Amino acid sequence: MDARKIIYCKACTMPNSRPRVNFNDKGVCNACVNSTQKDSVDWDMRRSEFNKILDNYRSKDGSWDCIVPWSGGKDSSAIAYKLKFEHNMNPLLITFSPMLPNEVGNSNREALIRQGFDHIFFRPDQKTHRYLAKRFFTERGNPKIAWDAGINVIPVNMAVKLNIKLVFYAEHGESEYGGKVLNEESKRTRNFTEVIEHQIGDDPRNWATGEVKIDDLNPYIYPSNEEIEKAGITAYYYSYFHKWSMFENYQYVKEKFDFQDNPTGRSTGTFTGFDSLDDKFDDIYYYMQYIKFGFGRCVRDTSRFIQMGHMGREEALELCRKYDGEFPDYYLDDVLEYLELSKQEFLDIVDKHRNDEVWKKDNSGNWQLRFPLYLNHDE
């Protein structure tokens, strides 16, 4: 990040304070560059490759032939539904439990399972999980670090244990949304190094303390490369083979089964009501992104809508002015109870994670963004 000034992508609304994002000499972020490059991809050839992969793994005896890491949200649900009903696969759905499951998430999972899927729901030891949530919220401003590890680890662990050779993840986030792409193959197949560096942040074995023993960390410790190779497991990104659109995934699942939106009409901090619905912690997670990096859930969503061609930048800017950084009141009491924090303790931790390059106090002592989007978007 430029320590002197935050700038915003000329094409979308993403700032250069986003971790690992890069801007070209025209001031356009690498996520937008990636989205334009999709126009030159031979998607027919990619789909043909995808079909050949499925032909190699498709079960002939009714056994599970692939694993879909599944939250119950629009993206993983769309992938699972297409694999089963459009490609005659028999996926096993694996869910690492939300930290605080909510009613709409439970409803959406049940709605897809009723279509004819087998499902394993993994809920980790809550004493350890709550301890780690509070620790990492306090230390890193992110209560979901252990959860991030769990959602990456459990599907692969289950693939090893159940001898299922094929795993399908949704999109490659580093290329789709602006990040560090290790190499071209990492857009196609999931890379262990990338998982640790970009999605977990460190090796969970390092989390062992007097409070948490190494044995308590089993749900968060990724299998070694040797274990994965010995088991013959390959994990692919669905987005490599099919042009990715979160909004079109949403439209697809709405058509296929009773997928429910946020009952309040939209999620806190954004204009959408169909993404990241299943966890009461999500509003806090996106708010802390705003605190640490100066952009919140609405910047994230509008950038993706622009890249997919569903929105213009001026409309996006207006929505960001209206919603980005909205305080997460809706589930706050439940979150505070889970973390065993008072509201004042929570607010003190929030302020601890404000980046001086992002925030300043005005003459009245109130926090303000140093370089808000509405002052910088046309420079």
Side-chain angles (χ1 to χ4, degrees), residues 164 211 231 289:
I164 300 174
E211 297 287 337
Q289 178 178 276

Side-chain angles (χ1 to χ4, degrees), residues 289-300:
Q289 178 178 276
Y290 177 70
I291 294 298
K292 292 189 291 184
F293 305 116
F295 73 96
R297 197 169 185 174
C298 197
V299 166
R300 166 190 179 269

Side-chain angles (χ1 to χ4, degrees), residues 27-159:
V28 176
C29 75
N30 48 352
C32 288
V33 171
N34 178 71
S35 70
T36 58
Q37 289 175 341
K38 291 179 184 180
D39 293 337
S40 61
V41 170
D42 186 339
W43 292 106
D44 289 335
M45 184 176 71
R46 294 270 182 98
R47 282 190 289 270
S48 177
E49 181 184 356
F50 178 76
N51 290 331
K52 289 177 182 177
I53 291 170
L54 297 187
D55 288 343
N56 289 333
Y57 288 94
R58 188 175 291 107
S59 170
K60 295 180 174 61
D61 61 5
S63 58
W64 301 309
D65 46 27
C66 61
I67 282 177
V68 176
W70 182 61
S71 67
K74 65 195 185 320
D75 296 324
S76 54
S77 293
I79 292 168
Y81 196 99
K82 289 176 181 180
L83 285 171
K84 186 173 184 71
F85 297 113
E86 296 183 10
H87 296 285
N88 196 32
M89 299 292 286
N90 189 20
L92 174 63
L93 309 183
I94 306 288
T95 302
F96 187 89
S97 173
M99 293 177 65
L100 276 176
N102 57 27
E103 186 175 340
V104 69
N106 292 336
S107 173
N108 285 337
R109 279 189 293 273
E110 186 66 20
L112 184 66
I113 292 169
R114 288 179 179 176
Q115 301 298 306
F117 289 88
D118 293 323
H119 175 221
I120 293 176
F121 186 93
F122 183 92
R123 192 161 186 252
D125 155 26
Q126 287 299 289
K127 180 180 178 181
T128 299
H129 203 61
R130 289 172 71 146
Y131 172 85
L132 293 172
K134 185 174 184 177
R135 172 186 167 184
F136 290 136
F137 177 61
T138 303
E139 294 178 0
R140 307 188 197 181
N142 181 0
K144 299 189 72 170
I145 287 176
W147 180 86
D148 284 336
I151 63 170
N152 282 284
V153 167
I154 293 302
V156 178
N157 268 340
M158 295 303 298

Side-chain angles (χ1 to χ4, degrees), residues 131 135 205-214 217:
Y131 172 85
R135 172 186 167 184
R205 293 177 182 85
N206 297 329
W207 302 346
T209 64
E211 297 287 337
V212 176
K213 307 302 182 187
I214 193 71
L217 296 171

Side-chain angles (χ1 to χ4, degrees), residues 4 76 93 117 129 175 219 257 283 286 290-291 326 353 362:
R4 294 166 295 174
S76 54
L93 309 183
F117 289 88
H129 203 61
S175 57
F257 62 93
D283 293 347
Y286 290 113
Y290 177 70
I291 294 298
E326 188 175 14
H353 291 284
D362 63 18

Side-chain angles (χ1 to χ4, degrees), residues 164-223:
I164 300 174
K165 308 295 188 183
L166 180 63
V167 181
F168 272 111
Y169 285 87
E171 76 273 46
H172 180 248
E174 295 297 302
S175 57
E176 290 291 331
Y177 308 129
K180 182 180 178 181
V181 179
L182 297 183
N183 50 61
E184 284 302 305
E185 180 59 25
S186 68
K187 297 178 182 179
R188 178 176 178 269
T189 57
R190 197 163 174 85
N191 182 284
F192 169 75
T193 301
E194 186 172 33
V195 170
I196 296 296
E197 289 186 2
H198 298 164
Q199 300 185 31
I200 301 175
D202 62 4
D203 189 328
R205 293 177 182 85
N206 297 329
W207 302 346
T209 64
E211 297 287 337
V212 176
K213 307 302 182 187
I214 193 71
D215 292 347
D216 299 323
L217 296 171
N218 284 328
Y220 315 106
I221 297 173
Y222 207 84

